[in-house]
Amino acid sequence: ACQHRLWSEIESVVKQQVAWARTGIGECGVGWQLFAEDGEMRMYRREEEVDGMAVDPLKAVHTVPGITGHEVCHYFFGPQYRYDWETTLEQMTVLETISEDTLVFLQTHKRIWPASQRDVLFWSHMRKLPNESDRDGPDLWTVVNNSTHHPDYPPNVGKCVRIYLKVCLLCQTRVDPPKDGAPLTRDNISCKITYCSVVNPGGWAPASVLRAVYKREYPKFLKRFTAYVVNQTKNKPIMF
Ligand SMILES: CCCCCc1ccc(-c2ccc(S(=O)(=O)CCO)cc2)cc1/C=C\c1ccccn1
């Protein structure tokens, strides 16, 4: 897949998105506001408008015990799981399987009154990253979703308004080995998750409606998705 038409774009977008996800909220610049908090989860956004449309970048950090970064990315990337955790999903199609770690999706999301229904077409790439800060620590894992084009599915032809997004899920596993040298269990692991997204709603949607949707849906999504991964993995061997 190294010669695939998207390969160079994927390389540059993955590097850019991972660097952004690694930037602590304190160094992200001014204007970031904490808008949701739940246990270990902290969600920040910055109010930004493009052509009068709200395209507020979002950054969430969360720490979840008992799962690994590989497991989180596996369930986020896999199309076979998406209907289980993505509550606003109405229709999902894999348009292209570029490689085992790179897919092209077309998704329609449930209409959110009073805005018109949205769809989104994006490539999704999953990758293991070397742990630069701790050589013998567990690797990082990431999934990057980035809007793209497909000749058979031009935007805004049917009833849906095409949205444009860039999403990065960056996961860092933490292992606290048991004192007595006992075998590792899920009690000794946790995952630090950073979720970044920028969504351009495409056609016009009232900023107040968009901001209300994001404020309600994003915390729900991250809580539901991470609970899903905990539930799916609890009786399975740890996937590092
Ligand atoms: C007027 C409403 C406009 C917004 C509609 C909308 C746009 C985009 C998206 C969306 C959000 C996350 C992704 S992903 O992280 O790549 C995972 C794969 O599905 C892809 C799409 C959703 C939704 C609709 C609701 C909504 C908004 C946040 C969070 C959750 N739901």
Side-chain angles (χ1 to χ4, degrees), residues 47-227:
E47 299 208 350
E48 278 182 28
E49 308 214 344
V50 169
D51 305 333
M53 286 184 301
V55 291
D56 307 353
L58 177 134
K59 180 173 272 199
V61 288
H62 195 8
T63 300
V64 182
I67 53 180
T68 66
H70 188 183
E71 290 169 339
V72 172
C73 288
H74 173 77
Y75 288 100
F76 186 75
F77 176 77
Q80 65 274 38
Y81 310 111
R82 195 154 300 170
Y83 285 112
D84 296 345
W85 55 265
E86 179 68 288
T87 49
T88 62
L89 194 59
E90 184 172 276
Q91 174 75 28
M92 172 198 69
T93 313
V94 176
L95 298 182
E96 235 181 305
T97 300
I98 294 173
S99 63
E100 59 170 4
D101 61 11
T102 309
L103 303 173
V104 177
F105 288 95
L106 175 63
Q107 297 187 168
T108 57
H109 286 257
K110 291 180 184 125
R111 179 168 182 261
I112 294 172
W113 186 88
S116 41
Q117 187 167 28
R118 258 66 184 175
D119 68 8
V120 57
L121 199 160
F122 59 95
W123 53 255
S124 183
H125 177 70
M126 179 162 89
R127 179 178 303 187
K128 179 167 70 172
L129 302 159
N131 184 334
E132 284 155 11
S133 56
D134 170 3
R135 270 205 191 301
D136 47 13
D139 298 310
L140 281 85
W141 281 86
T142 189
V143 174
V144 176
N145 294 345
N146 189 47
S147 285
T148 190
H149 309 285
H150 191 288
D152 305 350
Y153 300 89
N156 310 321
V157 169
K159 62 184 174 4
C160 289
V161 171
R162 179 70 47 90
I163 68 152
Y164 298 89
L165 61 71
K166 218 181 267 275
V167 165
C168 178
L169 181 75
L170 180 68
C171 299
Q172 164 94 58
T173 307
R174 183 185 152 133
V175 178
D176 297 293
K179 308 281 173 291
D180 50 6
L184 222 51
T185 72
R186 290 192 178 274
D187 295 340
N188 312 122
I189 59 170
S190 62
C191 184
K192 179 167 185 272
I193 298 168
T194 303
Y195 176 89
C196 303
S197 83
V198 179
V199 174
N200 182 317
W204 189 76
S208 56
V209 167
L210 279 167
R211 288 181 173 136
V213 168
Y214 296 155
K215 191 171 172 67
R216 184 184 70 233
E217 294 296 339
Y218 273 115
K220 205 164 80 178
F221 144 71
L222 198 53
K223 277 186 66 179
R224 179 182 169 91
F225 169 65
T226 51

